[in-house]
Amino acid sequence: MTMPTLDDLIVDLSQGLQPVRPISPMGGQILVGVLALSTLIATGAWWGMRDDVLAATPAPITALSIGLFFLLAVAGGWSLTRMAQPRVGMSNNGWRWAVAAVAVLPSIALFLAIQSPVDRVFMTWEGGIGCLLRGLGASLLVAVGLTFWLRRGAPMRINVSAWLIGLVAGAVGAIAVALTCPDDALTHIGIWHAAVVGATAVVGRLSLPRLLRW
């Protein structure tokens, strides 16, 4: 009995395989933009945009929070879509800096709440649970769309990909809340709006890896 050659092994392993069209990171980035824009238009029409946002004169803290959440959505979406085509030596860690920037909001909010009883009022469950639930609802379209899109690719870092889907979806949900919530208190924004991102990231990490494996 002769030993199979390397060529024979390759032929045996490749039998029955069908070529597939490579997934495009650019297509994923366009998808993120379309889903995010659709979400913001729909939530704005349903809940009603803030008057100062419609007038392009939002409160400074609201504008800052929207900018930070937008940065996280862009950085996370960029890293996530590039993971669909794994390559040796490719670095996708830019999103970590965006997470650190967003983390400034709850950090300052907690500091203010410790210092001032007045600021603690804006952290109450009754005043914030509505924003949290609306943000979670607004994140669903992006989360579902990105999950189905990434399943067509070949992500190697499944757990990180799951984190990123949650972060990107949560960032879009947080933007939707910031555009519609009338509360400008930093303690409210830093806890409840940022909690949307934290909650979706945890849910994504716990529930999505099994759906992304290939």
Side-chain angles (χ1 to χ4, degrees):
M1 180 178 179
T2 59
M3 294 292 294
T5 64
L6 179 59
D7 290 339
D8 293 332
L9 292 175
I10 293 175
V11 171
D12 291 339
L13 291 172
S14 62
Q15 285 182 349
L17 298 180
Q18 297 293 328
V20 296
R21 183 178 180 180
I23 192 171
S24 169
M26 178 63 71
Q29 291 154 17
I30 293 174
L31 177 65
V32 173
V34 170
L35 293 178
L37 184 59
S38 300
T39 295
L40 297 179
I41 292 175
T43 54
W46 184 261
W47 296 325
M49 288 281 191
R50 291 168 50 121
D51 292 336
D52 57 350
V53 170
L54 291 175
T57 57
I61 184 58
T62 298
L64 175 62
S65 68
I66 291 173
L68 291 175
F69 293 134
F70 177 78
L71 175 64
L72 177 57
V74 171
W78 174 265
S79 297
L80 177 67
T81 53
R82 294 184 71 207
M83 286 183 178
Q85 285 188 332
R87 287 169 286 180
V88 175
M90 182 177 60
S91 175
N92 286 306
N93 294 323
W95 60 272
R96 299 179 188 273
W97 292 103
V99 171
V102 170
V104 171
L105 289 175
S107 299
I108 296 177
L110 289 173
F111 176 78
L112 292 177
I114 293 173
Q115 299 294 320
S116 171
V118 175
D119 287 307
R120 286 199 290 273
V121 173
F122 297 101
M123 299 172 60
T124 59
W125 178 265
E126 294 79 6
I129 187 60
C131 284
L132 176 59
L133 293 178
R134 286 195 296 175
L136 294 177
S139 69
L140 286 177
L141 180 61
V142 175
V144 172
L146 284 178
T147 299
F148 278 99
W149 179 83
L150 197 59
R151 279 175 57 87
R152 296 171 46 228
M156 300 297 294
R157 302 171 66 186
I158 299 295
N159 292 338
V160 175
S161 297
W163 272 117
L164 286 174
I165 290 176
L167 287 172
V168 174
V172 173
I175 293 173
V177 172
L179 292 174
T180 56
C181 173
D183 199 331
D184 289 327
L186 177 54
T187 44
H188 173 83
I189 293 172
I191 297 300
W192 293 106
H193 294 192
V196 175
V197 179
T200 53
V202 172
V203 171
R205 172 61 181 84
L206 295 177
S207 61
L208 294 182
R210 69 192 72 178
L211 300 177
L212 298 176
R213 289 190 174 90
W214 50 281

